[in-house]
Amino acid sequence: MAENSESAFPEGFLWGGATAANQIEGAYNEGGRGLATSDFARWVPKEQRISGKATSWATYEMLDDMMAHPENYNFPKRRGIDFYHRYEEQLEALAGMGFTVFRTSISWSRIFPNGDDAEPNEEGLAFYDKVFDKCLELGMQPMVTLCHFDTPLHLATEYQGFLSRHTVDSFVRYAETVFTRYKDKVKYWLTFNEINSSLGNPYTCSGLVLHDDGTPNPYKEQWQAKYQCAHNQFVASALAVKKCHEIIPDAKIGNMTCRLENYAETSKPEDELQVLFEDHFNWFYSDVQAKGEYPYYMNRFFNDYGIKIQMEPGDEEILKEGTVDFLSISYYMTYIMRYKGSPVPKPNGSLVTDIKNQYLEVSEWGWPIDPIGFRITLNHIYDRYHLPIFIAENGLGAVDKVEADGTINDDYRIAYLQKHVEQLGEAIKDGVDVFGYAWWGPIDLISSGTSEMTKRYGFVYVDQDDFGNGTLALSKKKSYDYYKKVIASNGADLSID
Ligand code: BGP
């Protein structure tokens, strides 16, 4: 795209970045905070990671061992990047790029240490007052996710997370508390991060703890429990939407799904049928949250697999009344589908497809890089819902090299950003209503899936390794000035020097 060409992006388009409390804050046992499921996400050497499985899941047996022998484990999310103490300096670094939006989440167990305490923790509430005040002072709208992969541990171990309606009630009370407290400061909210990952990562996404059944992945087939969790999260989300509208009438509240765009491996109709099946498993979540009812296509799957969703009286009305104002997505990659003979979704929660797309490069973590897929998926979403869309995450995790003179020449990140923003602009020209773009991890943080620091997404480098060694000093990567230029030109100038 030529310099000074007219911008595809509307005036007031929100530019910025996204983070999550459990990946940045650290201070896991300070300020009255209670334990969360994410505090048991451990670092393990790459070769010991179970194939395709994140290091952030846990069974009752694993939790028992981690609690009895914490000295045997490295829990990087307990450290984060020490945002809890360094938020001012870190937010200033982000604002230096001209951000107008900063997405983060509230750690539920900072507000209610057990998730269901009688009173909220004032120290936790006061911390977010300071964070949001600082954002606003720096010209950044906070966009806040209520629950980003960190259910309070007590609710997970005692109630199996969102399998229980007690967790739904606790969530709604927590949501009401933070809406009331921050009503003058936060006008953009999201309910659950990547709610559709509850199928693959039920511990992370729904706080669902199960017993080890002796297989490498005991979560493999637990459809009944997982879909019941999803239902309870839909109800919790819808109730939060209603509360948000009541308490902050000028706020907008959205959902958040991990967008999984699929291509058929061949033109064989069976492969295309598999794409349809996979699409259904993914659209299911946004269909319920945006349309307020269960889609027709899930009935057959539920019947065939004996899944019975337990609804309480009034649930259907709650879903109808609690539809979201906008949709938000994370977009990282696209997938190839080959007919499997049945409509069973990918079981292991891995984002990485085992079928390689010969036309796409992959990241160092094997994630296919597909900017055109971004445009395609945005068109599909808008065509389906006709609701405004916010890009809650998009980015590239890579190993960055610090040169002897301290510079970090992350040209790969610049190229990724350029191509994705270009295709985002194309989608907007197509007529898709997108109102903001948040790069995932604009400051290096702890990886969600693998709990490592080595996988860096940031424009701002953080001096820390996987074991917490380092000064936590910040430095700008080459991509910092590039994103700054993109933002300053409202997406019109994507030229690379
Ligand atoms: C999404 C999560 C984020 C984030 C991102 C990148 O699934 O919402 O929390 O971390 O993926 O994943 P990872 O950190 O595993 O590279």
Side-chain angles (χ1 to χ4, degrees):
M1 193 183 276
E3 210 169 324
N4 298 328
S5 65
E6 209 184 307
S7 175
F9 295 84
E11 210 181 310
F13 187 82
L14 296 170
W15 293 98
T19 64
N22 80 86
Q23 293 169 260
I24 59 169
E25 284 180 10
Y28 80 105
N29 57 359
E30 290 179 52
R33 181 184 179 279
L35 288 173
T37 49
S38 51
D39 297 326
F40 295 87
R42 64 238 162 262
W43 181 89
V44 293
K46 209 170 181 180
E47 54 286 0
Q48 288 173 25
R49 287 178 203 147
I50 298 169
S51 166
K53 190 67 213 160
T55 59
S56 47
W57 62 297
T59 58
Y60 277 110
E61 290 73 12
M62 290 160 74
L63 285 171
D64 283 347
D65 191 61
M66 288 190 272
M67 281 190 242
H69 302 289
E71 69 282 2
N72 293 341
Y73 295 91
N74 173 7
F75 298 114
K77 289 177 185 168
R78 296 184 181 194
R79 297 187 289 272
I81 53 166
D82 198 27
F83 180 81
Y84 187 75
H85 297 110
R86 297 164 191 256
Y87 67 93
E88 289 187 296
E89 174 200 6
Q90 295 179 354
L91 290 174
E92 280 162 15
L94 298 178
M97 282 180 277
F99 279 22
T100 49
V101 66
F102 173 67
R103 174 181 173 230
T104 191
S105 65
I106 294 178
S107 159
W108 180 354
S109 63
R110 234 180 240 302
I111 308 301
F112 290 99
N114 292 298
D116 58 359
D117 310 68
E119 293 301 324
N121 168 33
E122 176 54 34
E123 218 177 328
L125 287 167
F127 167 66
Y128 293 105
D129 268 323
K130 290 187 290 182
V131 169
F132 302 146
D133 285 343
K134 185 72 187 171
C135 286
L136 294 170
E137 178 196 315
L138 292 167
M140 300 189 288
Q141 285 293 325
M143 178 177 284
V144 176
T145 317
L146 289 168
C147 190
H148 190 130
F149 295 170
D150 55 359
T151 307
L153 189 70
H154 166 75
L155 296 179
T157 53
E158 299 302 311
Y159 296 93
Q160 294 190 286
F162 279 92
L163 197 53
S164 160
R165 295 292 284 225
H166 175 73
T167 303
V168 175
D169 296 342
S170 307
F171 176 83
V172 176
R173 186 148 166 274
Y174 152 65
E176 193 173 0
T177 305
V178 296
F179 292 150
T180 306
R181 177 75 171 218
Y182 308 119
K183 63 179 185 317
D184 297 325
K185 301 178 184 181
V186 181
K187 303 296 177 184
Y188 294 103
W189 296 88
L190 302 174
T191 55
F192 291 100
N193 183 64
E194 292 188 343
I195 189 167
N196 56 326
S197 67
S198 67
L199 199 60
N201 297 308
Y203 170 80
T204 307
C205 185
S206 313
L208 175 62
V209 189
L210 296 168
H211 281 288
D212 194 338
D213 66 0
T215 66
N217 175 5
Y219 290 128
K220 198 172 172 202
E221 307 236 344
Q222 297 276 358
W223 307 125
Q224 176 62 43
K226 292 198 250 186
Y227 279 103
Q228 188 62 47
C229 275
H231 174 73
N232 292 348
Q233 284 179 279
F234 290 147
V235 172
S237 173
L239 287 167
V241 168
K242 287 177 69 177
K243 289 271 176 223
C244 182
H245 289 155
E246 278 161 33
I247 299 169
I248 329 177
D250 59 338
K252 298 279 178 222
I253 181 161
N255 71 342
M256 201 297 206
T257 56
C258 175
R259 183 64 203 128
L260 306 173
E261 186 69 38
N262 303 299
Y263 304 139
E265 185 184 29
T266 69
S267 50
K268 238 182 20 202
E270 286 86 347
D271 285 347
E272 196 55 53
L273 188 62
Q274 196 68 42
V275 170
L276 180 75
F277 291 153
E278 287 292 334
D279 273 351
H280 282 165
F281 288 121
N282 292 304
W283 289 126
F284 168 53
Y285 299 83
S286 38
D287 279 354
V288 176
Q289 291 186 300
K291 297 180 178 178
E293 59 188 24
Y294 273 60
Y296 73 92
Y297 52 78
M298 291 306 282
N299 289 336
R300 179 168 179 189
F301 174 70
F302 288 157
N303 286 337
D304 287 356
Y305 287 84
I307 296 162
K308 288 195 174 46
I309 305 293
Q310 276 197 319
M311 297 220 188
E312 290 199 357
D315 278 5
E316 280 173 326
E317 290 72 28
I318 291 169
L319 296 181
K320 253 295 168 265
E321 290 165 8
T323 56
V324 291
D325 301 321
F326 66 94
L327 297 154
S328 87
I329 58 157
S330 61
Y331 174 81
Y332 291 95
M333 65 188 99
T334 50
Y335 308 82
I336 298 280
M337 288 299 141
R338 179 186 297 160
Y339 188 56
K340 288 190 284 197
S342 74
V344 176
K346 284 198 295 290
N348 66 5
S350 165
L351 283 180
V352 183
T353 165
D354 42 2
I355 309 169
K356 198 175 160 0
N357 186 330
Q358 58 176 314
Y359 302 103
L360 300 178
E361 308 259 296
V362 296
S363 78
E364 287 161 284
W365 273 261
W367 294 17
I369 299 171
D370 186 1
I372 293 177
F374 194 21
R375 176 180 177 184
I376 294 170
T377 216
L378 286 169
N379 273 277
H380 281 164
I381 299 168
Y382 194 60
D383 190 30
R384 195 172 186 99
Y385 301 108
H386 281 275
L387 281 173
I389 301 168
F390 182 82
I391 311 304
E393 293 182 23
N394 172 235
L396 177 71
V399 177
D400 289 328
K401 181 163 180 276
V402 185
E403 303 294 343
D405 64 357
T407 57
I408 298 154
N409 298 307
D410 56 342
D411 296 293
Y412 35 89
R413 192 167 287 112
I414 293 173
Y416 183 103
L417 176 64
Q418 182 207 38
K419 293 195 181 85
H420 283 78
V421 172
E422 188 172 32
Q423 292 302 319
L424 174 57
E426 291 300 320
I428 291 172
K429 285 192 217 160
D430 292 337
V432 179
D433 181 2
V434 183
F435 68 97
Y437 174 82
W439 176 269
W440 172 255
I443 182 167
D444 293 342
L445 39 66
I446 309 294
S447 152
S448 175
T450 53
S451 295
E452 61 191 318
M453 193 69 207
T454 307
K455 188 181 191 184
R456 295 173 184 274
Y457 286 83
F459 307 115
V460 177
Y461 185 85
V462 178
D463 179 28
Q464 178 176 246
D465 68 13
D466 289 346
F467 302 92
N469 303 309
T471 62
L472 289 167
L474 309 182
S475 52
K476 296 173 186 175
K477 302 180 195 177
K478 189 174 174 183
S479 54
Y480 186 95
D481 286 328
Y482 180 74
Y483 194 28
K484 186 175 178 174
K485 178 178 79 170
V486 170
I487 294 174
S489 68
N490 197 25
D493 184 0
L494 300 181
S495 62
I496 297 175
D497 302 331

